Amino acid sequence: MDPDAEYLLPPAAHEAVAELEIKRSRFISHIARVQSEDEARQFVTRIRQRYPDARHHCSAYYYNVEGANPVERSSDDGEPSGTAGKPILDVLTGSGLEDIACVVVRYFGGIKLGTGGLVRAYSDATTEALRQVVPVRRSLRMLATMHFRHTDAGRYEADLRARGYVVTDVAYGADVALTVAIKPSEEEALGAYVQALTKGAVAPEFDSTMWVELPA
């Protein structure tokens, strides 16, 4: 994985919903974040239970697996092969978002749309729901902790913030432990900056990496 990996995804705990009517058929699309097979299946089941009388509940999802290729799945749920799940998946993978699932519910209106019409309908329904998604950015960061004297901590914290470092924690004890989140590639630059800032008195302690979510 890229040491400075980051990507866009739907916000947590939010569902985007859109509805289209095409030749009397209703297409209701739901999009949400999923980050595992279980989450994806639960989302599909939840939408299916919400619309138990619908003719079709077509779906697709695409999510990251750290250290492996992304997982992608799709289902036509009774529509002709390749006319529903694959078009939904194509829109999702082309959106620039990851960790994403979409279920498009269809209430049949009595008029057949044909193969091309179905592909367009499911693509359009997915696209309409995507317009309701306000993405966030998931970024791989490293935590770096520095210990300052109480008399110096405020000034050094202000210097770090002014330089653009994201301060995630300030803990007061015998000294002040200040933690910042940095991209892994910034480790050397932060170390040099803090050494210069404190005239060699303080060196950052680098912990393991973690994913953080930031505004897109």
Side-chain angles (χ1 to χ4, degrees):
M1 178 179 288
D2 180 349
D4 285 343
E6 61 180 20
Y7 60 92
L8 298 176
L9 71 167
H14 175 75
E15 242 177 64
V17 184
E19 182 172 342
L20 293 177
E21 183 173 324
I22 302 171
K23 294 184 178 179
R24 298 182 184 175
S25 281
R26 291 173 61 207
F27 293 85
I28 308 168
S29 45
H30 291 253
I31 286 180
R33 175 193 295 193
V34 299
Q35 294 179 298
S36 70
E37 192 73 21
D38 282 347
E39 287 184 7
R41 292 179 183 277
Q42 288 169 12
F43 174 58
V44 174
T45 298
R46 188 165 69 249
I47 301 305
R48 184 182 294 275
Q49 292 172 343
R50 196 176 300 174
Y51 303 93
D53 56 338
R55 176 75 67 89
H56 304 284
H57 306 80
C58 304
S59 62
Y61 50 90
Y62 174 79
Y63 63 87
N64 269 288
V65 177
E66 197 160 343
N69 291 328
V71 171
E72 54 182 59
R73 302 272 192 272
S74 63
S75 169
D76 294 312
D77 193 40
E79 294 282 28
S81 179
T83 63
K86 183 63 163 56
I88 296 170
L89 181 62
D90 287 345
V91 173
L92 295 184
T93 56
S95 70
L97 276 63
E98 303 178 32
D99 292 356
I100 187 170
C102 179
V103 181
V104 180
V105 176
R106 183 189 182 190
Y107 284 91
F108 183 55
I111 300 175
K112 293 185 177 181
L113 302 182
T115 299
L118 285 172
V119 170
R120 286 191 297 274
Y122 281 101
S123 297
D124 290 348
T126 307
T127 299
E128 196 65 27
L130 272 171
R131 292 195 178 102
Q132 314 302 319
V133 176
V134 180
V136 296
R137 185 178 302 277
R138 194 168 189 246
S139 182
L140 188 64
R141 296 296 171 102
M142 176 178 286
L143 295 179
T145 300
M146 294 146 283
H147 295 268
F148 300 120
R149 295 184 304 180
H150 286 267
T151 52
D152 299 326
R155 173 163 54 89
Y156 291 152
E157 179 183 351
D159 286 341
L160 287 162
R161 289 185 185 275
R163 198 173 178 86
Y165 289 107
V166 177
V167 177
T168 62
D169 188 52
V170 181
Y172 295 90
D175 57 19
V176 179
L178 190 147
T179 302
V180 299
I182 63 169
K183 292 183 178 181
S185 62
E186 297 173 334
E187 178 179 344
E188 185 176 335
L190 176 65
Y193 176 65
V194 172
Q195 288 274 308
L197 186 67
T198 63
K199 297 182 172 58
V202 176
E205 300 168 3
F206 296 98
D207 299 322
S208 59
T209 56
M210 65 178 293
W211 289 99
V212 299
E213 292 186 12
L214 307 165

mmCIF file with all atom_site columns, all heavy atoms in Angstrom, residues 102-115:
data_model
loop_
_atom_site.group_PDB
_atom_site.id
_atom_site.type_symbol
_atom_site.label_atom_id
_atom_site.label_alt_id
_atom_site.label_comp_id
_atom_site.label_asym_id
_atom_site.label_entity_id
_atom_site.label_seq_id
_atom_site.pdbx_PDB_ins_code
_atom_site.Cartn_x
_atom_site.Cartn_y
_atom_site.Cartn_z
_atom_site.occupancy
_atom_site.B_iso_or_equiv
_atom_site.pdbx_formal_charge
_atom_site.auth_seq_id
_atom_site.auth_comp_id
_atom_site.auth_asym_id
_atom_site.auth_atom_id
_atom_site.pdbx_PDB_model_num
ATOM 1   N N   . CYS A 1 102 ? -24.456 0.131  -3.275  1.00 0.00 ? 102 CYS A N   1
ATOM 2   C CA  . CYS A 1 102 ? -25.710 0.701  -3.777  1.00 0.00 ? 102 CYS A CA  1
ATOM 3   C C   . CYS A 1 102 ? -26.715 -0.426 -4.000  1.00 0.00 ? 102 CYS A C   1
ATOM 4   O O   . CYS A 1 102 ? -26.370 -1.476 -4.561  1.00 0.00 ? 102 CYS A O   1
ATOM 5   C CB  . CYS A 1 102 ? -25.467 1.447  -5.090  1.00 0.00 ? 102 CYS A CB  1
ATOM 6   S SG  . CYS A 1 102 ? -26.978 2.161  -5.802  1.00 0.00 ? 102 CYS A SG  1
ATOM 7   N N   . VAL A 1 103 ? -27.931 -0.207 -3.548  1.00 0.00 ? 103 VAL A N   1
ATOM 8   C CA  . VAL A 1 103 ? -29.048 -1.103 -3.845  1.00 0.00 ? 103 VAL A CA  1
ATOM 9   C C   . VAL A 1 103 ? -30.095 -0.286 -4.599  1.00 0.00 ? 103 VAL A C   1
ATOM 10  O O   . VAL A 1 103 ? -30.509 0.780  -4.123  1.00 0.00 ? 103 VAL A O   1
ATOM 11  C CB  . VAL A 1 103 ? -29.678 -1.701 -2.574  1.00 0.00 ? 103 VAL A CB  1
ATOM 12  C CG1 . VAL A 1 103 ? -30.829 -2.641 -2.944  1.00 0.00 ? 103 VAL A CG1 1
ATOM 13  C CG2 . VAL A 1 103 ? -28.640 -2.439 -1.745  1.00 0.00 ? 103 VAL A CG2 1
ATOM 14  N N   . VAL A 1 104 ? -30.487 -0.785 -5.755  1.00 0.00 ? 104 VAL A N   1
ATOM 15  C CA  . VAL A 1 104 ? -31.544 -0.135 -6.529  1.00 0.00 ? 104 VAL A CA  1
ATOM 16  C C   . VAL A 1 104 ? -32.771 -1.040 -6.516  1.00 0.00 ? 104 VAL A C   1
ATOM 17  O O   . VAL A 1 104 ? -32.734 -2.173 -7.003  1.00 0.00 ? 104 VAL A O   1
ATOM 18  C CB  . VAL A 1 104 ? -31.105 0.157  -7.978  1.00 0.00 ? 104 VAL A CB  1
ATOM 19  C CG1 . VAL A 1 104 ? -32.267 0.832  -8.737  1.00 0.00 ? 104 VAL A CG1 1
ATOM 20  C CG2 . VAL A 1 104 ? -29.867 1.038  -8.009  1.00 0.00 ? 104 VAL A CG2 1
ATOM 21  N N   . VAL A 1 105 ? -33.843 -0.530 -5.935  1.00 0.00 ? 105 VAL A N   1
ATOM 22  C CA  . VAL A 1 105 ? -35.105 -1.257 -5.815  1.00 0.00 ? 105 VAL A CA  1
ATOM 23  C C   . VAL A 1 105 ? -35.975 -0.891 -7.015  1.00 0.00 ? 105 VAL A C   1
ATOM 24  O O   . VAL A 1 105 ? -36.108 0.286  -7.358  1.00 0.00 ? 105 VAL A O   1
ATOM 25  C CB  . VAL A 1 105 ? -35.821 -0.859 -4.506  1.00 0.00 ? 105 VAL A CB  1
ATOM 26  C CG1 . VAL A 1 105 ? -37.183 -1.532 -4.420  1.00 0.00 ? 105 VAL A CG1 1
ATOM 27  C CG2 . VAL A 1 105 ? -34.957 -1.196 -3.300  1.00 0.00 ? 105 VAL A CG2 1
ATOM 28  N N   . ARG A 1 106 ? -36.561 -1.903 -7.647  1.00 0.00 ? 106 ARG A N   1
ATOM 29  C CA  . ARG A 1 106 ? -37.447 -1.618 -8.781  1.00 0.00 ? 106 ARG A CA  1
ATOM 30  C C   . ARG A 1 106 ? -38.853 -2.145 -8.533  1.00 0.00 ? 106 ARG A C   1
ATOM 31  O O   . ARG A 1 106 ? -39.051 -3.319 -8.226  1.00 0.00 ? 106 ARG A O   1
ATOM 32  C CB  . ARG A 1 106 ? -36.908 -2.256 -10.065 1.00 0.00 ? 106 ARG A CB  1
ATOM 33  C CG  . ARG A 1 106 ? -37.779 -1.924 -11.287 1.00 0.00 ? 106 ARG A CG  1
ATOM 34  C CD  . ARG A 1 106 ? -37.398 -2.715 -12.517 1.00 0.00 ? 106 ARG A CD  1
ATOM 35  N NE  . ARG A 1 106 ? -38.215 -2.337 -13.671 1.00 0.00 ? 106 ARG A NE  1
ATOM 36  C CZ  . ARG A 1 106 ? -38.226 -2.998 -14.828 1.00 0.00 ? 106 ARG A CZ  1
ATOM 37  N NH1 . ARG A 1 106 ? -37.462 -4.063 -14.990 1.00 0.00 ? 106 ARG A NH1 1
ATOM 38  N NH2 . ARG A 1 106 ? -39.004 -2.584 -15.814 1.00 0.00 ? 106 ARG A NH2 1
ATOM 39  N N   . TYR A 1 107 ? -39.812 -1.233 -8.664  1.00 0.00 ? 107 TYR A N   1
ATOM 40  C CA  . TYR A 1 107 ? -41.223 -1.607 -8.714  1.00 0.00 ? 107 TYR A CA  1
ATOM 41  C C   . TYR A 1 107 ? -41.624 -1.601 -10.184 1.00 0.00 ? 107 TYR A C   1
ATOM 42  O O   . TYR A 1 107 ? -41.658 -0.537 -10.826 1.00 0.00 ? 107 TYR A O   1
ATOM 43  C CB  . TYR A 1 107 ? -42.077 -0.618 -7.924  1.00 0.00 ? 107 TYR A CB  1
ATOM 44  C CG  . TYR A 1 107 ? -41.982 -0.781 -6.434  1.00 0.00 ? 107 TYR A CG  1
ATOM 45  C CD1 . TYR A 1 107 ? -41.035 -0.076 -5.696  1.00 0.00 ? 107 TYR A CD1 1
ATOM 46  C CD2 . TYR A 1 107 ? -42.842 -1.653 -5.761  1.00 0.00 ? 107 TYR A CD2 1
ATOM 47  C CE1 . TYR A 1 107 ? -40.943 -0.226 -4.317  1.00 0.00 ? 107 TYR A CE1 1
ATOM 48  C CE2 . TYR A 1 107 ? -42.760 -1.809 -4.380  1.00 0.00 ? 107 TYR A CE2 1
ATOM 49  C CZ  . TYR A 1 107 ? -41.807 -1.085 -3.669  1.00 0.00 ? 107 TYR A CZ  1
ATOM 50  O OH  . TYR A 1 107 ? -41.720 -1.248 -2.318  1.00 0.00 ? 107 TYR A OH  1
ATOM 51  N N   . PHE A 1 108 ? -41.901 -2.777 -10.722 1.00 0.00 ? 108 PHE A N   1
ATOM 52  C CA  . PHE A 1 108 ? -42.197 -2.914 -12.152 1.00 0.00 ? 108 PHE A CA  1
ATOM 53  C C   . PHE A 1 108 ? -43.507 -2.224 -12.499 1.00 0.00 ? 108 PHE A C   1
ATOM 54  O O   . PHE A 1 108 ? -44.531 -2.409 -11.825 1.00 0.00 ? 108 PHE A O   1
ATOM 55  C CB  . PHE A 1 108 ? -42.259 -4.396 -12.516 1.00 0.00 ? 108 PHE A CB  1
ATOM 56  C CG  . PHE A 1 108 ? -42.496 -4.660 -13.969 1.00 0.00 ? 108 PHE A CG  1
ATOM 57  C CD1 . PHE A 1 108 ? -41.673 -4.124 -14.945 1.00 0.00 ? 108 PHE A CD1 1
ATOM 58  C CD2 . PHE A 1 108 ? -43.565 -5.456 -14.364 1.00 0.00 ? 108 PHE A CD2 1
ATOM 59  C CE1 . PHE A 1 108 ? -41.891 -4.384 -16.289 1.00 0.00 ? 108 PHE A CE1 1
ATOM 60  C CE2 . PHE A 1 108 ? -43.799 -5.728 -15.710 1.00 0.00 ? 108 PHE A CE2 1
ATOM 61  C CZ  . PHE A 1 108 ? -42.959 -5.185 -16.669 1.00 0.00 ? 108 PHE A CZ  1
ATOM 62  N N   . GLY A 1 109 ? -43.467 -1.423 -13.576 1.00 0.00 ? 109 GLY A N   1
ATOM 63  C CA  . GLY A 1 109 ? -44.641 -0.654 -13.954 1.00 0.00 ? 109 GLY A CA  1
ATOM 64  C C   . GLY A 1 109 ? -45.453 -1.240 -15.087 1.00 0.00 ? 109 GLY A C   1
ATOM 65  O O   . GLY A 1 109 ? -46.400 -0.611 -15.580 1.00 0.00 ? 109 GLY A O   1
ATOM 66  N N   . GLY A 1 110 ? -45.078 -2.455 -15.543 1.00 0.00 ? 110 GLY A N   1
ATOM 67  C CA  . GLY A 1 110 ? -45.870 -3.101 -16.590 1.00 0.00 ? 110 GLY A CA  1
ATOM 68  C C   . GLY A 1 110 ? -45.327 -2.918 -17.989 1.00 0.00 ? 110 GLY A C   1
ATOM 69  O O   . GLY A 1 110 ? -45.819 -3.549 -18.929 1.00 0.00 ? 110 GLY A O   1
ATOM 70  N N   . ILE A 1 111 ? -44.349 -2.045 -18.178 1.00 0.00 ? 111 ILE A N   1
ATOM 71  C CA  . ILE A 1 111 ? -43.764 -1.807 -19.495 1.00 0.00 ? 111 ILE A CA  1
ATOM 72  C C   . ILE A 1 111 ? -42.319 -2.291 -19.486 1.00 0.00 ? 111 ILE A C   1
ATOM 73  O O   . ILE A 1 111 ? -41.506 -1.824 -18.688 1.00 0.00 ? 111 ILE A O   1
ATOM 74  C CB  . ILE A 1 111 ? -43.808 -0.317 -19.876 1.00 0.00 ? 111 ILE A CB  1
ATOM 75  C CG1 . ILE A 1 111 ? -45.257 0.176  -19.906 1.00 0.00 ? 111 ILE A CG1 1
ATOM 76  C CG2 . ILE A 1 111 ? -43.130 -0.089 -21.225 1.00 0.00 ? 111 ILE A CG2 1
ATOM 77  C CD1 . ILE A 1 111 ? -45.387 1.667  -20.154 1.00 0.00 ? 111 ILE A CD1 1
ATOM 78  N N   . LYS A 1 112 ? -41.976 -3.225 -20.373 1.00 0.00 ? 112 LYS A N   1
ATOM 79  C CA  . LYS A 1 112 ? -40.614 -3.733 -20.450 1.00 0.00 ? 112 LYS A CA  1
ATOM 80  C C   . LYS A 1 112 ? -39.692 -2.666 -21.049 1.00 0.00 ? 112 LYS A C   1
ATOM 81  O O   . LYS A 1 112 ? -40.072 -1.974 -21.997 1.00 0.00 ? 112 LYS A O   1
ATOM 82  C CB  . LYS A 1 112 ? -40.564 -5.016 -21.268 1.00 0.00 ? 112 LYS A CB  1
ATOM 83  C CG  . LYS A 1 112 ? -41.284 -6.187 -20.594 1.00 0.00 ? 112 LYS A CG  1
ATOM 84  C CD  . LYS A 1 112 ? -41.112 -7.473 -21.371 1.00 0.00 ? 112 LYS A CD  1
ATOM 85  C CE  . LYS A 1 112 ? -41.780 -8.632 -20.644 1.00 0.00 ? 112 LYS A CE  1
ATOM 86  N NZ  . LYS A 1 112 ? -41.613 -9.921 -21.361 1.00 0.00 ? 112 LYS A NZ  1
ATOM 87  N N   . LEU A 1 113 ? -38.494 -2.562 -20.500 1.00 0.00 ? 113 LEU A N   1
ATOM 88  C CA  . LEU A 1 113 ? -37.553 -1.524 -20.949 1.00 0.00 ? 113 LEU A CA  1
ATOM 89  C C   . LEU A 1 113 ? -36.536 -2.032 -21.957 1.00 0.00 ? 113 LEU A C   1
ATOM 90  O O   . LEU A 1 113 ? -35.859 -1.229 -22.595 1.00 0.00 ? 113 LEU A O   1
ATOM 91  C CB  . LEU A 1 113 ? -36.811 -0.937 -19.731 1.00 0.00 ? 113 LEU A CB  1
ATOM 92  C CG  . LEU A 1 113 ? -37.672 -0.326 -18.634 1.00 0.00 ? 113 LEU A CG  1
ATOM 93  C CD1 . LEU A 1 113 ? -36.784 0.256  -17.543 1.00 0.00 ? 113 LEU A CD1 1
ATOM 94  C CD2 . LEU A 1 113 ? -38.585 0.743  -19.195 1.00 0.00 ? 113 LEU A CD2 1
ATOM 95  N N   . GLY A 1 114 ? -36.427 -3.343 -22.095 1.00 0.00 ? 114 GLY A N   1
ATOM 96  C CA  . GLY A 1 114 ? -35.409 -3.885 -22.984 1.00 0.00 ? 114 GLY A CA  1
ATOM 97  C C   . GLY A 1 114 ? -34.039 -3.849 -22.330 1.00 0.00 ? 114 GLY A C   1
ATOM 98  O O   . GLY A 1 114 ? -33.822 -3.151 -21.330 1.00 0.00 ? 114 GLY A O   1
ATOM 99  N N   . THR A 1 115 ? -33.100 -4.577 -22.910 1.00 0.00 ? 115 THR A N   1
ATOM 100 C CA  . THR A 1 115 ? -31.762 -4.682 -22.316 1.00 0.00 ? 115 THR A CA  1
ATOM 101 C C   . THR A 1 115 ? -31.090 -3.327 -22.174 1.00 0.00 ? 115 THR A C   1
ATOM 102 O O   . THR A 1 115 ? -30.606 -2.959 -21.095 1.00 0.00 ? 115 THR A O   1
ATOM 103 C CB  . THR A 1 115 ? -30.880 -5.620 -23.165 1.00 0.00 ? 115 THR A CB  1
ATOM 104 O OG1 . THR A 1 115 ? -31.474 -6.918 -23.199 1.00 0.00 ? 115 THR A OG1 1
ATOM 105 C CG2 . THR A 1 115 ? -29.485 -5.721 -22.573 1.00 0.00 ? 115 THR A CG2 1
#
